[in-house]
Amino acid sequence: MSGRGDASPYPLGLRLHGRRVVVVGGGAVATRRVPALLDAGADVLVVAPELTPALRAHADAGRLRWAERRFAPTDLDGAWLVQVAVDDPGAAVAVSAAAAERRIFCVRADDRAAATAWTPAVTRQGPVTVAVLGGGDPRRAMTVRDAVRDLLAGRPGLVSAPPAVRESPADTAGGRVALVGAGPGDPELITVKGWRLLTRADVVVADRLVPGLLLDELRADVELVDAAKIPYGPARTQEEINRILVDRARAGRFVVRLKGGDPYVFGRGGEELLACAAAGVPVTVVPGVTSAVAAPAAAGIPVTHRAVAHEFTVVSGHVAPDSPASLVRWDALAALRGTLVVLMGLKNLAAIAATLVAHGRSAETPAAVVQEGTTGGQRMLRSTLGTVAAEVAAAGLRPPATVVIGDVVDALRA
Ligand code: SAH
């Protein structure tokens, strides 16, 4: 299994669609590796006694299979590739040996010299993928990758120019926090500024809804904190997140708090800003493309349209309309004729629709639900206010999903 350690690697583009890839380990490294495998359409099996919340969310959504236990050599039967992402060197050696026996290429996060395959630094621009191997030096690979990325973006110097011209030091110098909107799901929908700050981060605190491929391009030495807040699952409280932001910034590090969509749209960004401000930590806010607008757009629905709707209202549906905790005047919303966009509304959709109809909005009003908008997993259902809840249940649509109610749903249909 040895060979000349310094021989050049042979580059390949693996076409993994439908092919089994085994990831051994369920921690931070696996969390960063899995999104690119899913993006490639691989049939991913994760073998690990425990998963990070982000990986668990993939498992719960059926995007990968999880064997909840330690590795057994037979896990590799039928696999085309294995990624070892465990801390325990003994376990890593056992996986390597089982892979070599079966002639399966084995990527090892813990030991490049012992691996039979290396993962390159990658950047993607539409259909083009650039993969860079740095001759055993991951930092060199990332520097070259960053330069190529800027060239492809057609903006040399804008995204990662030499530090001297890149930005004022105050922008990313240690001891700061940036609240960055990551956009709705497509990794290309982060803003240029958000991306630039992300590439400079020492610490990234990421939400569950943040596109995994954005994390795939981070430097290997970046501390990645998974702030995933899974309903009814393992959760870190908001106070804990605030504490991490403040602690890391006080230790002189540049912290990017990466949040799905826009940081202030039902994102608790304001609370994080206040916590940093109270601790004397400087904060920058970088707005993001919100799913409230982008998910409908990706499904062919404009939130306004000439002669159809001159307003759109974005409302959270996470509190039931009849709950005393509700801050939403559903009766008033029912009287509007414009577009209503409901986020976090699947669970209460039946009650929301019934309440709107009870207060006078027609049951025939067009309604649509867009699940995982702007991503490869996007699904969409068109219906009417009267039947949408039943149809969503029948179709098995799941969060994250955006509900759009109003005539705009049909505005662009031929
Ligand atoms: N700050 C985010 C919203 C956070 S609330 C933003 O600006 O987009 C989370 C809700 O956003 C989800 O329950 C869902 O209603 C919606 N959402 C997030 N990503 C989505 C996507 N890709 N497609 C459809 N809806 C999405």
Side-chain angles (χ1 to χ4, degrees), residues 80-108:
W80 293 66
L81 179 69
V82 57
Q83 296 245 7
V84 186
V86 292
D87 292 333
D88 171 9
V93 168
V95 181
S96 271
E101 219 168 83
R102 291 165 176 77
R103 300 292 186 269
I104 300 168
F105 279 105
C106 178
V107 180
R108 280 181 60 173

Side-chain angles (χ1 to χ4, degrees), residues 181 183-186 207-209 259-268 288-296 315-318 341-346 369-375 378-379 398-403:
D186 177 342
D207 269 350
R208 180 169 49 102
L209 286 179
K259 302 171 75 72
D262 178 89
Y264 284 162
V265 177
F266 309 132
R268 309 192 68 166
V289 175
T290 180
S291 59
V293 174
V315 39
S316 166
H318 82 290
V341 178
V342 186
L343 300 190
M344 297 184 281
L346 278 203
V369 177
V370 185
Q371 173 185 317
E372 291 176 63
T374 78
T375 75
Q378 177 171 316
R379 291 177 69 191
R398 289 184 314 254
T402 293
V403 182

Side-chain angles (χ1 to χ4, degrees), residues 59-156:
D60 289 347
R63 290 188 282 265
L64 55 78
R65 275 176 307 132
W66 175 26
E68 189 178 348
R69 51 172 172 73
R70 303 201 156 277
F71 172 77
T74 49
D75 289 332
L76 298 189
D77 292 346
W80 293 66
L81 179 69
V82 57
Q83 296 245 7
V84 186
V86 292
D87 292 333
D88 171 9
V93 168
V95 181
S96 271
E101 219 168 83
R102 291 165 176 77
R103 300 292 186 269
I104 300 168
F105 279 105
C106 178
V107 180
R108 280 181 60 173
D110 64 313
D111 185 350
R112 298 174 52 75
T116 51
W118 292 339
T119 46
V122 170
T123 185
R124 299 174 176 85
Q125 297 271 333
V128 174
T129 300
V130 179
V132 180
L133 293 167
D137 178 353
R139 284 188 163 272
R140 183 195 296 155
M142 299 195 95
T143 306
V144 173
R145 186 276 314 270
D146 288 349
V148 174
R149 179 176 58 211
D150 295 352
L151 273 175
L152 289 177
R155 294 188 278 256

Side-chain angles (χ1 to χ4, degrees), residues 28-251:
V29 174
T31 302
R32 290 169 63 156
R33 294 277 179 253
V34 159
L37 294 170
L38 294 178
D39 194 59
D43 165 21
V44 176
L45 170 68
V46 179
V47 185
E50 279 173 274
L51 296 186
T52 62
L55 285 173
R56 188 183 279 264
H58 287 306
D60 289 347
R63 290 188 282 265
L64 55 78
R65 275 176 307 132
W66 175 26
E68 189 178 348
R69 51 172 172 73
R70 303 201 156 277
F71 172 77
T74 49
D75 289 332
L76 298 189
D77 292 346
W80 293 66
L81 179 69
V82 57
Q83 296 245 7
V84 186
V86 292
D87 292 333
D88 171 9
V93 168
V95 181
S96 271
E101 219 168 83
R102 291 165 176 77
R103 300 292 186 269
I104 300 168
F105 279 105
C106 178
V107 180
R108 280 181 60 173
D110 64 313
D111 185 350
R112 298 174 52 75
T116 51
W118 292 339
T119 46
V122 170
T123 185
R124 299 174 176 85
Q125 297 271 333
V128 174
T129 300
V130 179
V132 180
L133 293 167
D137 178 353
R139 284 188 163 272
R140 183 195 296 155
M142 299 195 95
T143 306
V144 173
R145 186 276 314 270
D146 288 349
V148 174
R149 179 176 58 211
D150 295 352
L151 273 175
L152 289 177
R155 294 188 278 256
L158 180 60
V159 178
S160 47
V165 297
R166 188 166 48 234
E167 63 238 346
S168 62
D171 208 4
T172 62
R176 305 181 60 88
V177 171
L179 299 180
V180 175
D186 177 342
E188 291 197 295
L189 288 176
I190 190 171
T191 63
V192 171
K193 181 165 186 175
W195 174 251
R196 178 169 61 76
L197 296 188
L198 185 61
T199 61
R200 307 265 76 86
D202 301 312
V203 180
V204 175
V205 183
D207 269 350
R208 180 169 49 102
L209 286 179
V210 160
L213 280 180
L214 286 177
L215 307 177
D216 190 53
E217 293 191 28
L218 295 180
R219 297 195 318 271
D221 62 344
V222 171
E223 181 192 0
L224 182 60
V225 180
D226 184 347
K229 290 175 278 179
I230 310 287
Y232 320 113
R236 244 187 243 251
T237 62
Q238 186 65 47
E239 294 85 88
E240 172 72 358
I241 294 170
N242 296 351
R243 191 186 61 75
I244 290 172
L245 299 180
V246 167
D247 278 7
R248 300 296 193 280
R250 279 187 170 155

Side-chain angles (χ1 to χ4, degrees), residues 141 170 197 231 257 299 340 342 349 355 410:
L197 296 188
R257 170 69 171 119
L340 196 56
V342 186
L349 187 54
T355 305
D410 293 329

